[in-house]
Amino acid sequence: MSEKGSYAGDSRRSFLKKATGATITLANTNLFAFSPGTSPQWDQALQTTPWFRRITRWGQTNITEKDPIIYDITWWRNHWKRTHTQGVIINAGGIIAYYPTKVPLHYKAEYLHGRDLFGDLCRAAHEDGLVVFARMDSNRAHEEFYKAHPDWFALDRDGKPYRAGDLYITCVNSPYYNEHIPSILTEIANLYHPEGFTDNSWSGLGRDSICYCENCRKSFRGKTGKEIPREKNWDDPVYRQWIRWNYDRRLEIWDLNNRTTRAAGGPTCIWSGMNSGSISGQSRSFRDYKEICQRAEIIMLDHQARTDAVGFQHMSDIGKIIHGMLGWDKLIPDSMAMYQAGRPTFRLSSKPAAEAHMWMLEGFAGGIQPWWHHVGAYHEDRRMYHTAEPIYKWYQANEEFLINRTPVGTIGVVWSQENTDFYGRDDADVLVDQPWNGITQALIRARIPYQPVHADHLSRDASKFSLLILPNLGCMSDDQVASVKRFVDRGGHLFATGESSLFDTSGNPRKDYALSDLFGSHVIPDTAEGSRESMKRTSHTYLRLIPEMRSKVYGPQTGTEPAITADRHPVLKGFEETDILPFGGVLNPVRVDDNSAVIATFIPEFPIYPPETAWMREPKTDIAGLIARTVPNGSRVIFMPADIDRQFARYNLPDHGNLLANVVRWACKDDIPLAVSGAGLIDCNIYQQPGRMVLHLTNLTSAATWRQPVHELIPVGPVRVRIKLTKDVSGKNLKLLVSEQKASAAVEGGWTEFEIRSILNHEVVVIS
Ligand SMILES: [Zn+2]
């Protein structure tokens, strides 16, 4: 798509007319089904595609209160141009107004001095053919406001207002959200006609604080007939009602704001509050991702930096998670910090360019669009101004391959936010995130492409997959359980870990796994005591691999007992020279059905220190850690009560990663459409578009793979790729979009094979 497309020179009026007219056809319009700039269909599609489906390169200068006196609009217009930016997010109102607002108590920036900074920027952007997201922040207000309307603010149990520094937290159930924010949205829409609105912090008080204001009490009483719980207690059904009531209210706010902005600004004047890149973060803020995605035309992702626990690959992961709910025809720009975000944060220092680039590139691999983000309009560290440009240039040149495509893969990894809430509770990191990270990291390490799938979408999406993985998916509804059973009945394979299906959707334990028949394993009553606490600890425990293959050479049993040479289960491939694996978790006994094979058993904890005491007290137990079976229709089911996934996320032991990868390969009968050889940690993602496939290979190999920031990129290669072709792809033609190296394809039996000499940060291969 050309930067100077037909929109670039449009007047504001004709743009609006087109955008407004687009609502009738937008559901059927697929802009990227046409070759850019070459056909009448393209021109027509451009005119009928609403802006939120078409604008892919975003930028934001997050305005500080001091900026109105130094903001150099001419300079920033140049920056928009230099970075090929098509849309900007501009601070408008909320905590601070950057325009001469007439809404009572709407606080104007201290240094605004009568300047209409938002208006000037909005007009400049429109003149340059850019679209504008007016940015709000409705979470807090100043003391003057609090004094005028103390009943619009969140109160603790003692009736004291919740505060954040000098500011007061507003209550989501008060007229602040029902009247004040809508009047600001309406004023801005009427005065400036931004294309849409976003909000940095729209969902009010988080889960860790309970508001006891009169508005909340009244609403909760009205909806449930109960009083607001006095304290957090996940075992209290009223507390869980309070959680769900909070979720519902955030969706009401989403809908109210959308009604308001569309009424004031026209049908495409959407409101799309920012959302987190962490499911636990969404849970703590009562933002139901699945419901939001059903409502949203675009997701504004506020996810600025990696943590050492997840790496860059978290971006491709979260992109796939959100697209799985939102659809792959919609867009997810992510706020990508050009400053040192994360740990530690320096708002005014440049993020090392390699670190910023890798974050962006892994986003592209997950279908995310770029959105550069600076805090403040003036910087003495000018290096950050050069970070986005080369990446935006590349994105623009290759955009047709980067959006409007669907993922290819045979492995579905199942999740749900309800599981984070009601199974994870206050330990979602340990109970939910770590098992997820362990599984997905093992898949990435093994170059096995995967797709996240929401548990409620199994009935719709499961048929795409050969194997479903349940990474300690504790909470499952009866419907979700039924979907998994249907999937296996129809020949699908299953790999489940930990306490999957052991809880209902409120987090109440079931007597047995709801999927116990498939697992071939059953809970033994009264043995699960304390399991939640034990998951937080690391214990000096092991797994014994069955059958043992005692070495003829080394073991003390030599000469007294013959070595067992029986074939081991294929998931233990590569472990022939060991009878034990390090574990770290704790296992409770399960009852295993006769039709299931126990592949590994538990070796209970024994001392580490002093070394003299470090011998196994109980070398053998019958407690199963890994159980495999093949059901009569040929489907394979592996159940892993041992939390190898969690341990791998924590400690990165290759044994754990290898075992998980072996399990996946066996369980799906090696039905994996990709094989990549060559050293390095490479995240592999495959997509399809009509007549072609797009393969992303992101090189995560670096001295800073597990500790930000990257200092230096280290190339990998040569990398040999074999990829299974989709029906409409011949596989003979290759185009390497990054290095532009020449590569030649050998096609055989529905697969194409080629070599990439070297990958620095990423390579994207178009196969047609
Ligand atoms: Zn309240």
Side-chain angles (χ1 to χ4, degrees), residues 350-411:
S350 297
K351 184 186 272 194
E355 176 79 17
H357 287 174
M358 285 298 295
W359 189 244
M360 300 167 99
L361 300 176
E362 266 292 47
F364 302 165
I368 285 172
Q369 290 75 50
W371 158 9
W372 52 253
H373 181 198
H374 300 275
V375 173
Y378 176 77
H379 290 102
E380 292 166 288
D381 186 343
R382 296 171 299 280
R383 294 171 296 178
M384 69 176 79
Y385 295 143
H386 304 291
T387 305
E389 188 178 339
I391 301 291
Y392 273 56
K393 249 188 192 150
W394 180 85
Y395 192 93
Q396 184 195 8
N398 296 292
E399 180 171 84
E400 61 177 306
F401 306 110
L402 303 174
I403 51 179
N404 214 60
R405 53 191 195 170
T406 50
V408 175
T410 50
I411 313 293

Side-chain angles (χ1 to χ4, degrees), residues 324-325 451-454 456-465 468 487:
M325 298 178 286
Q451 295 167 50
V453 51
H454 193 285
D456 282 340
H457 294 157
L458 282 172
S459 51
R460 184 191 73 192
D461 292 341
S463 61
K464 293 182 203 165
F465 303 111
L468 290 179
F487 171 76

